[in-house]
Amino acid sequence: EQQNSAVTIIAEGVSSASGAARTGADAMSRVSSATMEARATAADVRALADALANEAEGLDSQVRQFLIKVQAA
């Protein structure tokens, strides 16, 4: 009877550990998904920032040319 009780306690411990491991694995999977989404968003933000920088450079050039023409007139 003591042996059966010990086996039952061990089985319950193994089952509990298995459940905790499954919960941990699920949490890690969610973190991985969130990380991939964050990286994709960061890449989008970088692409937009690069495009904005290019537009700013073009606008700066146009303003400079305009000011040179105004000054020459």
Side-chain angles (χ1 to χ4, degrees):
E1 185 177 324
Q2 286 180 348
Q3 188 176 12
N4 286 340
S5 178
V7 168
T8 299
I9 291 171
I10 291 170
E12 289 172 353
V14 168
S15 177
S16 176
S18 175
R22 193 175 313 111
T23 299
D26 290 345
M28 291 300 288
S29 178
R30 288 191 302 274
V31 167
S32 176
S33 293
T35 300
M36 289 182 349
E37 289 176 19
R39 284 183 179 169
T41 300
D44 289 345
V45 168
R46 181 175 180 170
L48 290 171
D50 288 345
L52 183 58
N54 288 336
E55 290 293 325
E57 287 176 13
L59 182 58
D60 181 60
S61 176
Q62 290 177 2
V63 168
R64 287 179 189 271
Q65 289 174 7
F66 173 76
L67 293 175
I68 289 170
K69 289 177 184 177
V70 167
Q71 201 173 33

